[in-house]
């Protein structure tokens, strides 16, 4: 790979975060992605709840709390 | 709000792990490489595409081996500071002593606990989290870690949710206090869904 250091590499732009999210037209499909992740982590419990916070757009935050395998930092 | 008991439908022989770092490598998933995998995720894209569909920002807390790792991905931060690349603070803590851990030093993560973490990097990460997340102090942050009462687990907090043209949140949490609904005017979406991953 070192031999190619001088060549251009593709990058992710900030705008891609939005672009990528448009694969979900259906909002609950997006929530299901997070449920899938908890299931794949071997979770036996998943709490999905909201907490009010007037400083946030929409006035609340949405949490997914599972008891799955968790993660290390990695790399 | 919704507690799904006995959530895991099949007994899994092995759980194939992903590291937090892999989350920010788009398209990389540790799940895919398992031969007898019955995992749903394969493509290493679900968290990003899903979370960014729901809200502008998220912060993830994960716990394992008494080490807590945060992952912070905020579009609000990028927009306000006009940043074109994607920056993801990922501070790491010993959850017993609440000390920061250098997340690039595997020796420490494996028990040598000498805490020679990169102070400048860590403080910059914390400064961004306190500024752009709903959690404004280190105590707030550890409160979130403490919600993970099992020995391992993950908490994702999504905030600055998408709004409808009416100015209301797209997720309706007001109509039914025990459920999360999609606004009935948009209920048609349920029937002409053309989701793909």
């Amino acid at each position: 790979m070192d031999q190619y250091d001088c060549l251009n590499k593709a990058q992710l732009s900030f705008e891609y975060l939005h672009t990528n999210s448009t694969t979900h037209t259906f909002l609950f499909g997006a929530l299901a992605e997070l449920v899938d992740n908890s299931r794949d982590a071997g979770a036996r419990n998943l709490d999905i709840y909201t907490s009010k916070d007037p400083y946030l757009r929409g006035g609340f935050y949405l949490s997914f709390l599972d008891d799955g395998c968790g993660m290390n930092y990695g790399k | 709000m919704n507690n799904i008991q006995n959530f895991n439908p099949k007994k899994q022989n092995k759980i194939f792990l992903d590291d937090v770092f892999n989350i920010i490598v788009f398209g990389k998933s540790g799940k895919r490489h398992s031969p007898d995998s019955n995992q749903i995720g394969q493509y290493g894209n679900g968290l990003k595409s899903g979370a960014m569909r729901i809200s502008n920002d998220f912060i993830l807390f994960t716990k394992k081996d008494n080490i807590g790792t945060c992952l912070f991905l905020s579009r609000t931060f990028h927009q306000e500071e006009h940043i074109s690349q994607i920056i993801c603070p990922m501070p790491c803590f010993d959850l017993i002593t609440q000390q920061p851990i250098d997340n690039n030093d595997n020796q420490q993560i494996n028990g040598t606990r000498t805490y020679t973490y990169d102070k400048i990097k860590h403080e910059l990460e914390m400064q961004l989290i306190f500024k752009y997340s709903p959690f404004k102090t280190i105590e707030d942050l550890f409160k979130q870690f403490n919600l993970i009462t099992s020995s391992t687990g993950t908490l994702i907090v999504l905030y600055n949710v998408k709004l409808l043209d009416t100015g209301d949140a797209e997720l309706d949490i007001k109509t039914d206090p025990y459920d999360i609904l999609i606004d009935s005017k948009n209920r048609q979406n349920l029937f002409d869904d053309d989701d793909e991953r």
Side-chain angles (χ1 to χ4, degrees), chain B residues 2 13 16-17 30 34 37 58 65-66 71 81 89 97 124 133 147-148 154 159 172 184:
Chain B
N2 299 329
N13 304 332
F16 293 92
L17 308 174
S34 51
S37 172
F58 76 82
D65 305 327
N66 279 318
L71 171 64
E81 307 203 5
T97 63
L124 186 57
S133 90
L147 292 173
I148 309 171
T154 301
Y159 61 97
D172 173 8
S184 55

Side-chain angles (χ1 to χ4, degrees), chain B residues 20-150:
Chain B
V20 182
F21 195 88
N22 278 355
I23 293 177
I24 61 168
V25 183
F26 282 66
K28 185 166 178 182
S29 172
K31 297 175 186 174
R32 176 170 32 186
H33 303 292
S34 51
D36 56 343
S37 172
N38 61 359
Q39 304 281 62
I40 298 166
Q42 294 182 63
Y43 303 113
N45 197 38
L47 174 62
K48 280 84 69 184
S49 68
M52 292 289 113
R53 169 69 181 82
I54 299 163
S55 63
N56 230 28
D57 313 273
F58 76 82
I59 181 164
L60 175 149
F61 303 85
T62 187
K63 176 177 160 188
K64 189 179 185 181
D65 305 327
N66 279 318
I67 288 169
T69 309
C70 254
L71 171 64
F72 180 62
L73 180 52
S74 166
R75 277 190 279 173
T76 306
F77 155 54
H78 287 78
Q79 282 157 347
E80 293 208 357
E81 307 203 5
H82 306 288
I83 298 163
S84 58
Q85 290 195 314
I86 304 170
I87 295 173
C88 301
M90 292 173 61
C92 210
F93 301 90
D94 181 319
L95 290 179
I96 295 167
T97 63
Q98 303 202 341
Q99 294 227 44
I101 297 176
D102 191 331
N103 42 31
N104 293 318
D105 187 344
N106 285 324
Q107 266 208 321
Q108 287 184 17
I109 288 176
N110 293 332
T112 318
R113 312 281 164 100
T114 43
Y115 305 116
T116 51
Y117 64 98
D118 183 339
K119 198 165 180 236
I120 292 170
K121 179 183 177 190
H122 180 79
E123 283 176 359
L124 186 57
E125 289 180 324
M126 299 311 288
Q127 194 188 315
L128 290 173
I129 289 172
F130 295 153
K131 183 165 183 194
Y132 291 106
S133 90
F135 311 113
K136 302 300 182 194
T137 63
I138 192 76
E139 290 77 23
D140 285 350
L141 214 66
F142 278 106
K143 258 184 218 163
Q144 295 300 305
F145 274 123
N146 290 338
L147 292 173
I148 309 171
T149 52
S150 44

Side-chain angles (χ1 to χ4, degrees), chain A residues 40-56:
Chain A
D40 280 352
R44 301 201 65 84
N45 294 284
L46 170 61
D47 278 314
I48 304 171
Y49 59 93
T50 55
S51 302
K52 288 206 169 95
D53 185 335
Y55 296 105
L56 302 176

Side-chain angles (χ1 to χ4, degrees), chain A residues 11 14 20 24 40 62 68, chain B residues 40-41 45 53 84-85 152 158:
Chain A
Q11 288 178 28
F14 166 68
N20 190 36
H24 295 285
D40 280 352
L62 171 68
Chain B
I40 298 166
N45 197 38
R53 169 69 181 82
S84 58
Q85 290 195 314
T152 61
L158 305 147

